[in-house]
Amino acid sequence: MNNMHYRRKMEGASAIKSNTNAFVLWREVLMAYVSPAVMAGLGGLITADRNLQIGALTTIGGASAIMAWLLGLWLRSKGGDVRWMIRMPRIVAVTMFAIIGASLGLLTAWATLGLLEMVLSYAQWDWIQRVWFDFPLSGAIACTIMTWRWRQSRTTSCFVLHN
């Protein structure tokens, strides 16, 4: 009986799942690179800060892309199996991963500068000191973008009706 009611309701239309919300890793990593790089680059152009312009393409955009790629690989392989991540509200999951991303960025900045200090004398590089700010911020931005878009692809059931 219920099946007949559903068939009458759908006469003349076929429900096809749309792939517009599919999680495609390379596209998400590209967005995680472009978004902070463009914003920081525009800030560097407006303020005429050459170090910010260089940092936008290297330490800000690059760190964001690497962090997004690593998180995207984890989300694709293990993230879908973690039930608590799908059940919790999206804003809580995004905030949690943004904090984790900022923490990993800070840890990466500490390790990078520690290793560079052992190998090279980087006193002449003014922009290398930006890593303390750029890596945690890039990690937070990348994790926010990736988690938000991954959760959107997991929780949205988008249907297109064709007549």
Side-chain angles (χ1 to χ4, degrees), residues 18-101:
S18 173
N19 286 333
T20 57
N21 289 332
F23 186 78
V24 180
L25 185 60
W26 70 265
R27 186 173 52 203
E28 306 304 334
V29 170
L30 182 66
M31 284 306 299
Y33 174 81
V34 169
S35 299
V38 166
M39 293 306 292
L42 287 175
L45 286 174
I46 291 171
T47 61
D49 185 0
R50 181 96 172 127
N51 287 335
L52 183 56
Q53 293 171 6
I54 292 170
L57 300 174
T58 56
T59 58
I60 296 171
S64 181
I66 290 170
M67 186 74 74
W69 178 65
L70 292 173
L71 179 61
L73 287 175
W74 183 80
L75 287 172
R76 268 192 357 189
S77 66
K78 302 217 187 327
D81 297 336
V82 182
R83 292 188 190 271
W84 59 265
M85 194 164 148
I86 295 173
R87 285 189 199 148
M88 76 171 55
R90 184 185 297 178
I91 193 72
V92 174
V94 168
T95 303
M96 182 182 71
F97 275 96
I99 292 169
I100 291 170

